[in-house]
Amino acid sequence: MKPLAAALACLALLCGSPALADGEVHKLMTPADKAKLEKYGETRRDAIAEAQKGDPAEVKEFNAVLARPLVPFSDKPLTGNWKCRTIKAGGNFGVLVIYGWFKCRVTDDGSGLVLEKLSGSQRTKGRFYDDGAKRAIYLGSFFIDGDPVLPYGSGPKTDQAGYAFRTGPNAWRIELPQPYYESKLDIIEFTR
């Protein structure tokens, strides 16, 4: 009975965490998104530098988001309702834009965690893949409210790839390098 109990405990732990990155995520990821994630550090550094030229109050808020220490994803389940907002840093849209809060939800569909932004005109829906204790890979699809949600892999205008980081029991963020539209780095921040 002890091996069965241990197996059930491991299964329960996996159900509340991102899907495992056993190489499968790299098979799913498009070559363009692999290249974006390979240049993540450089893109992030450049976007943050550009954002520092923004409105001082927004820069202070932006820097506070980035300064939060990273914690393990096992800290507390991600499932449930969240407030979420998008921060656009660098690029042709402007040096820094911080949007207001919208509604998001994370569910577990039995294969892992799924995120869906539920309000606002620009939305995302996608899945998380484990990439270590303090980082997950997000593969999603960008869409406009009212349009159909295309599956990840449908093309560069909708595909999204980035890294998710936990920053507390009720806070986390996704950083999307080189999104197709507007900015150099999109950060989706979550709180509840």
Side-chain angles (χ1 to χ4, degrees):
M1 282 305 246
K2 287 185 181 179
L4 178 60
L8 290 174
C10 287
L11 181 61
L13 179 64
L14 290 175
C15 287
S17 63
L20 294 175
D22 56 4
E24 189 64 31
V25 67
H26 297 287
K27 294 175 190 172
L28 297 172
M29 203 179 305
T30 66
D33 285 340
K34 284 180 188 177
K36 286 178 185 181
L37 292 185
E38 285 172 6
K39 293 182 178 181
Y40 163 77
E42 178 184 329
T43 301
R44 184 180 194 269
R45 181 194 67 229
D46 293 348
I48 290 170
E50 286 183 38
Q52 300 307 307
K53 300 172 190 169
D55 173 84
E58 286 194 337
V59 170
K60 183 178 179 183
E61 191 173 352
F62 175 68
N63 289 337
V65 169
L66 296 178
R68 293 185 184 122
L70 304 183
V71 299
F73 272 95
S74 61
D75 185 40
K76 196 172 179 185
L78 285 181
T79 53
N81 294 319
W82 294 87
K83 291 189 317 181
C84 56
R85 68 177 176 178
T86 300
I87 301 169
K88 292 184 172 286
N92 9 344
F93 191 65
V95 291
L96 181 63
V97 178
I98 300 177
Y99 288 97
W101 294 98
F102 294 95
K103 294 178 183 179
C104 285
R105 179 175 50 223
V106 176
T107 56
D108 185 343
D109 69 357
S111 295
L113 299 178
V114 176
L115 166 69
E116 186 169 7
K117 185 171 181 263
L118 302 171
S119 62
S121 60
Q122 296 185 10
R123 306 220 181 161
T124 187
K125 184 173 183 178
R127 183 174 298 281
F128 296 94
Y129 300 86
D130 183 28
D131 195 38
K134 294 185 179 181
R135 186 170 85 176
I137 295 172
Y138 176 72
L139 298 181
S141 184
F142 169 86
F143 64 102
I144 300 295
D145 182 31
D147 288 349
V149 183
L150 300 176
Y152 175 80
S154 295
K157 290 183 179 181
T158 58
D159 290 348
Q160 294 178 311
Y163 291 119
F165 303 97
R166 194 76 186 252
T167 57
N170 292 309
W172 56 288
R173 68 179 183 259
I174 301 173
E175 298 187 9
L176 301 161
Q178 300 175 324
Y180 186 81
Y181 297 100
E182 304 170 338
S183 64
K184 197 169 276 183
L185 179 72
D186 280 0
I187 297 173
I188 307 173
E189 181 188 14
F190 301 83
T191 188
R192 61 177 166 197

